[in-house]
Amino acid sequence: MPSSEDVETPHIQAVPKRSPYGALFSRTLPHYSGQYRVGVRDVEIPIPKQSFGKFKHKSMPNEVGITIDTAMFTLFYPTESNAKDHRVVWFPRLRRTVEGLMKMSNSCSRFCTLMAYAGAAVVIGGTTFPGIPNAPLQAPSGSTKWPLLLFSHGAGSSRLMNSSFCGEMASRGYVVAAIEHRDGTGPHARIVNQDGGKKDFSWIQWSDLNWIDLTEQPSDDTMLRNVQLEVRMAEVQGVLSAWQKVARGEPFVSTGPPHSPPSNWDEWDYVKVDAPVIAGHSFGGSLAMAAATDSRFSFSHVVVFDPAMKRLQSWNRQITVPLLVVSSEEFSAGAEFLMLRHTLSGVPRHEVHVIPGSSHPSFSDVFLILPDYVNRMMGLAIDPVYVINDTVDKTVRFLENGGGHVTSSQAMRRP
């Protein structure tokens, strides 16, 4: 796994349960609660070079649209490794990430960025999560294989910001591939191509674009988000193609840094790749629902948390596989939940659950890190560990039961 370029990761023992001060003092996220230890490794792979969108960015006048030729993901998976006290840096490039977040907020002055970085370094600098870097994949019992789950993060997020959900699923016997989307929706990503060249890619502000074929420029980010959804679909296709190569025993190429996994992936034949699960939060939920209707893919189940429904207005095809929706109370009170309800009327097998007292960001790691009093100021009315655990429990139950019925759970009593 990559190491932090801004802060050193402290060697600190994990605390037995989450402190009301979050990770402010412990600098580590809670241990996973499933039966397996969790290995973690980064993978970056070459994919066919593709370009999306006919626009130019004011800072890159010689480039058109978004071009991708690699896909990156972090694997969370069961392991029998006996390595002790290993931790993985939660924000491996904190300074660049803060710069990207400030760019998203249109607060790009040097002073504001420096102040934001100083605050972030105090609150989250050196924070880790409990994974064992590059540990071997555990062999499943008997002739079974580990199920594969692809996870897509939301806009303004990154692949590791949902590490708690991904790690908890891995500790329960899933291999999770958390994709880093290099589509301009994340604060920062580093791309390493096949010849070793590196490129930093950050947030794309829609108002900074000039669409070549349009005399009248868009008045919002809808057109850009449609393009970014197409980029994400191509990344999903690239990741699944790589897994299918592994299943066929074909050579596997990684473009990432030297600590990336080697090309011999024999042990990863233990992963069931023919009917994976796809899951996502917010804009990642939009991707999951859109991908479930795409003929290129064959997903067994779809799991979404607060999906950004207005991003799916041009994707009006029917979802035919079981769909689980876990909603925050905040999301359930908004207009997009009504749009979701309308969409679900055409989905034959689905479940909808609302977690009382939760807010939109509570599916990520953010509220596990921040102190409780800050979480309350930001609208979270319940224990953030409960949100993650309840989400994981509902997801595992849905996947194990086949998701073959229609149900709705919206009791608003808070735990």
Side-chain angles (χ1 to χ4, degrees):
M1 294 296 294
S3 59
S4 173
E5 68 179 32
D6 301 302
V7 290
E8 293 294 323
T9 306
H11 181 76
I12 296 178
Q13 298 286 335
V15 291
K17 69 175 185 177
R18 181 182 176 275
S19 162
Y21 299 102
L24 189 62
F25 299 117
S26 69
R27 292 302 196 211
T28 186
L29 292 172
H31 269 299
Y32 305 128
S33 58
Q35 69 184 98
Y36 302 106
R37 302 193 76 188
V38 176
V40 183
R41 64 173 65 198
D42 281 343
V43 183
E44 187 163 8
I45 56 172
I47 63 175
K49 188 173 184 177
Q50 302 164 77
S51 295
F52 302 87
K54 294 184 178 180
F55 59 78
K56 289 188 176 182
H57 192 278
K58 66 180 184 181
S59 66
M60 299 177 290
N62 296 323
E63 297 184 21
V64 177
I66 300 171
T67 300
I68 59 171
D69 59 3
T70 73
M72 184 184 183
F73 52 98
T74 293
L75 289 172
F76 297 77
Y77 51 91
T79 184
E80 290 179 309
S81 172
N82 291 321
K84 298 184 182 301
D85 297 327
H86 276 293
R87 299 290 182 268
V88 181
V89 177
W90 187 65
F91 258 124
R93 296 186 180 92
L94 182 60
R95 178 174 57 83
R96 294 292 181 87
T97 300
V98 170
E99 290 173 354
L101 291 170
M102 296 302 289
K103 186 177 180 181
M104 289 167 50
S105 65
N106 287 320
S107 302
C108 291
S109 73
R110 183 172 178 80
F111 175 76
C112 289
T113 300
L114 286 173
M115 292 298 293
Y117 172 66
V122 169
V123 176
I124 65 174
T127 298
T128 61
F129 61 90
I132 304 173
N134 300 323
L137 175 67
Q138 178 175 336
S141 60
S143 59
T144 61
K145 292 190 174 185
W146 303 117
L148 176 64
L149 185 152
L150 271 59
F151 187 86
S152 173
H153 63 76
S157 187
S158 67
R159 72 193 188 283
L160 296 182
M161 287 186 71
N162 295 90
S163 71
S164 294
F165 172 79
C166 296
E168 286 288 357
M169 293 299 294
S171 76
R172 287 161 171 77
Y174 289 81
V175 171
V176 182
I179 302 173
E180 182 73 50
H181 294 295
R182 279 84 71 87
D183 59 348
T185 61
H188 174 262
R190 175 160 291 172
I191 301 170
V192 182
N193 59 33
Q194 199 162 1
D195 61 11
K198 297 180 180 180
K199 176 184 177 181
D200 288 328
F201 197 72
S202 62
W203 175 265
I204 296 176
Q205 185 66 27
W206 68 269
S207 56
D208 292 339
L209 303 182
N210 178 54
W211 294 80
I212 298 173
D213 295 339
L214 300 180
T215 54
E216 184 176 346
Q217 297 298 303
S219 58
D220 59 24
D221 63 359
T222 300
M223 186 171 292
L224 174 61
R225 288 290 183 267
N226 289 339
V227 170
Q228 290 168 324
L229 200 57
E230 293 176 2
V231 175
R232 289 183 172 220
M233 298 278 268
E235 291 173 319
V236 168
Q237 185 176 20
V239 171
L240 287 177
S241 295
W243 278 108
Q244 289 159 2
K245 285 185 178 181
V246 171
R248 294 192 298 265
E250 297 178 9
F252 187 88
V253 178
S254 175
T255 68
H259 52 253
S260 293
S263 58
N264 183 6
W265 278 57
D266 292 344
E267 66 183 20
W268 294 87
D269 185 47
Y270 296 136
V271 181
K272 184 177 183 293
V273 303
D274 55 344
V277 178
I278 188 165
H281 175 220
S282 195
F283 191 47
S286 307
L287 167 72
M289 293 178 69
T293 68
D294 194 292
S295 60
R296 290 174 289 181
F297 311 122
S298 181
F299 295 109
S300 63
H301 299 77
V302 183
V303 178
V304 295
F305 315 135
D306 288 4
M309 295 304 298
K310 68 179 182 180
R311 307 303 184 187
L312 289 172
Q313 291 179 342
S314 61
W315 299 78
N316 54 4
R317 287 164 281 184
Q318 185 177 19
I319 297 173
T320 58
V321 298
L323 169 66
L324 170 67
V325 179
V326 183
S327 166
S328 66
E329 182 176 341
E330 177 186 16
F331 180 81
S332 70
E336 287 190 283
F337 191 75
L338 297 178
M339 297 171 64
L340 172 65
R341 281 294 190 192
H342 176 74
T343 299
L344 291 176
S345 64
V347 181
R349 294 172 294 171
H350 65 267
E351 293 184 16
V352 182
H353 300 277
V354 178
I355 300 179
S358 60
S359 59
H360 184 67
S362 58
F363 296 105
S364 73
D365 298 342
V366 172
F367 289 145
L368 296 172
I369 292 174
L370 296 175
D372 284 348
Y373 71 88
V374 176
N375 293 343
R376 289 192 294 271
M377 291 172 58
M378 296 177 65
L380 182 67
I382 57 175
D383 181 359
V385 175
Y386 174 85
V387 178
I388 298 297
N389 289 344
D390 193 42
T391 300
V392 170
D393 289 345
K394 285 178 168 56
T395 300
V396 171
R397 191 179 306 116
F398 174 79
L399 297 178
E400 291 181 349
N401 293 339
H405 59 285
V406 177
T407 186
S408 177
S409 172
Q410 297 184 68
M412 299 313 290
R413 181 177 60 84
R414 294 176 179 172

